[in-house]
Amino acid sequence: MRTAVRRVDPLRPDVRAIEEAAALLAQGAVVAFPTETVYGLGASIYSPDGLKEIFRAKGRPSDNPLIVHVNDMAQLDLVAVAGDVERSLMKKFWPGPLTLILKRRKYGDQVGISDLVTGGLDTVAVRMPSHRVARELIRALGAPIAAPSANTSGRPSPTTAAHVLQDLKGRIPMVIDGGETTFGVESTVLDTTERPFRILRPGAITPEDLREAIGEVILDAGGPVESRPRSPGMKYRHYAPRQPLALFYDPQIGVYACRHLMAKGKRVGVIAPSEHRAYFPHEAMVIDIGGLDDQFSIAHNLFSSLRHMDERGVDMILAELYPPTGLFYAVNNRLRKAAGYLVLSSTAECDAL
Ligand code: TXA
Ligand code: MG
């Protein structure tokens, strides 16, 4: 299959490109498109063929449900039931990178949305994106769009159309290229079906933002042994570059690990904040991911840094973890998953690499 790339101005997308993409969706095909978080791989929620195609193109396990992207509150009400607190969150954070897990809407015996979208759960994930291209696409289709991130399952999420092509070229008919996404990490997934609400995936809306809006919100530390994952997506390896990745909090441990690996003849890549890059040996491939006082840049550059390391052909990647505040919750979460939870905290652990 040939993958067409349609470049558009993200602020004033060309109507013809949008209509061409919407026509593909209406025919049961998939299209990759930019959102304010990462690129999504969309299908109409009313097209079983399109929904199946998402799982095929990504190699995604079929029990991992999709996020429904809506353009207005009427579309929300078609698929989900929302109470007052949920609506107050929508009012505050929509359009924007907050995904709410809500009860699925039922019409008599019928549910308002396919099991292909929800993985057969009695809940559904919904968000209203703020990106102009995403909104125009939903409007042109006239139906909500189900969309996971537009990467091969398990790989870092795409923040440019080039990333989408790295993974899905030849597997999808079209990508709308609207340039780099804004946040670079995915939406925050908030489960509203139990009190207090629980963050299932930290993301572009911070825990602090949510607590300020509604008070108590649970954020699990997250770890390798989540016996009964609350979100199907929690149980899969995610965001991973091709080479092994190990993490550290203390830059001195990172430097030690780097020297140790280089002494063994390994080519080492390091992802570190601007303040710490000079600590690392010159021979290491160091990516400066941004200043510690600039969480936004660090989040924005995260997935592209992981993909960049793939291209540079290093044998092992070392990456720094950040103090748990704001967007750094999302950054640390993605890094931990990408590393399979390998965090170096002593020189002995580095020696064992
Ligand atoms: O920013 C984003 O959210 C991007 C853009 C494209 O909108 N989308 C995205 O989708 O990251 P995806 O499929 O990569 O991640 C969706 C997450 C998965 O971890 C999935 O398991 C979880 O949301 N999820 C979806 N429906 C759920 C449900 N009913 N209950 C619990 N978790 C759910
Ligand atoms: Mg994803």
Side-chain angles (χ1 to χ4, degrees):
M1 180 189 300
R2 202 182 140 265
T3 304
V5 180
R6 291 277 177 280
R7 285 202 68 153
V8 299
D9 177 343
L11 300 178
R12 281 161 45 96
D14 175 46
V15 184
R16 278 163 312 177
I18 296 289
E19 279 174 358
E20 196 185 323
L24 283 167
L25 295 174
Q27 288 159 27
V30 294
V31 169
F33 62 96
T35 81
E36 70 276 25
T37 56
V38 300
Y39 274 71
L41 182 65
S44 165
I45 65 162
Y46 299 119
S47 170
D49 286 346
L51 295 170
K52 285 182 203 148
E53 193 56 21
I54 288 178
F55 292 92
R56 188 203 62 85
K58 279 182 60 94
R60 182 181 177 102
S62 61
D63 66 345
N64 193 2
L66 307 175
I67 295 174
V68 176
H69 296 67
V70 300
N71 196 32
D72 54 42
M73 298 308 275
Q75 288 184 338
L76 164 80
D77 291 329
L78 283 175
V79 298
V81 184
D84 291 343
V85 185
E86 294 88 285
R87 283 182 196 276
S88 74
L89 283 170
M90 294 167 194
K91 208 163 186 177
K92 187 153 178 119
F93 296 106
W94 283 7
L98 177 66
T99 295
L100 298 174
I101 306 297
L102 301 163
K103 290 250 157 53
R104 242 166 123 157
R105 162 114 20 223
K106 288 199 171 71
Y107 299 95
D109 293 339
Q110 300 279 79
V111 286
I113 187 141
S114 162
D115 279 339
L116 290 165
V117 174
T118 63
L121 298 173
D122 56 12
T123 54
V124 59
V126 189
R127 85 179 189 95
M128 186 187 289
S130 60
H131 198 288
R132 202 50 206 283
V133 171
R135 296 296 288 281
E136 290 291 313
L137 189 58
I138 307 169
R139 189 198 47 73
L141 176 66
I145 293 176
S149 47
N151 50 286
T152 301
S153 203
R155 295 268 298 144
S157 296
T159 59
T160 65
H163 294 165
V164 176
L165 292 171
Q166 281 171 6
D167 285 11
L168 301 179
K169 190 172 179 183
R171 300 179 68 82
I172 60 174
M174 180 172 174
V175 49
I176 307 177
D177 181 354
E180 279 185 37
T181 62
T182 310
F183 288 100
V185 290
E186 301 89 340
S187 64
T188 301
V189 177
L190 184 70
D191 185 356
T192 69
T193 61
E194 278 174 39
R195 300 295 156 96
F197 292 176
R198 181 186 298 266
I199 296 172
L200 299 182
R201 177 178 74 182
I205 299 290
T206 67
E208 293 91 333
D209 293 336
L210 292 172
R211 287 180 181 136
E212 194 189 308
I214 52 166
E216 192 187 354
V217 172
I218 298 172
L219 173 58
D220 293 329
V225 283
E226 186 79 42
S227 55
R228 195 178 65 87
R230 289 166 193 270
S231 181
M234 284 177 165
K235 64 180 187 244
Y236 300 107
R237 178 126 196 259
H238 267 312
Y239 315 115
R242 296 203 169 85
Q243 305 85 351
L245 167 66
L247 309 174
F248 55 88
Y249 275 106
D250 177 354
Q252 298 314 322
I253 292 285
V255 171
Y256 183 93
C258 186
R259 290 194 192 286
H260 168 75
L261 288 163
M262 285 171 52
K264 284 180 31 177
K266 304 267 191 213
R267 282 164 306 168
V268 184
V270 178
I271 302 175
S274 314
E275 289 83 349
H276 299 161
R277 66 169 298 172
Y279 298 170
F280 292 87
H282 287 307
E283 304 77 45
M285 225 289 284
V286 186
I287 292 182
D288 174 352
I289 191 172
L292 284 170
D293 59 355
D294 185 1
Q295 298 195 337
F296 188 85
S297 290
I298 289 179
H300 177 88
N301 294 331
L302 176 67
F303 288 131
S304 58
S305 300
L306 289 172
R307 280 182 183 261
H308 194 64
M309 286 295 181
D310 280 347
E311 291 158 27
R312 298 301 290 259
V314 297
D315 299 313
M316 176 135 198
I317 307 168
L318 299 169
E320 188 162 324
L321 289 163
Y322 300 92
T325 64
L327 286 173
F328 285 161
Y329 284 105
V331 172
N332 286 349
N333 169 275
R334 307 305 187 271
L335 282 170
R336 285 170 179 283
K337 288 189 176 178
Y341 302 95
L342 176 57
V343 182
L344 304 169
S345 50
S346 68
T347 54
E349 284 167 357
C350 300
D351 289 335
L353 285 174

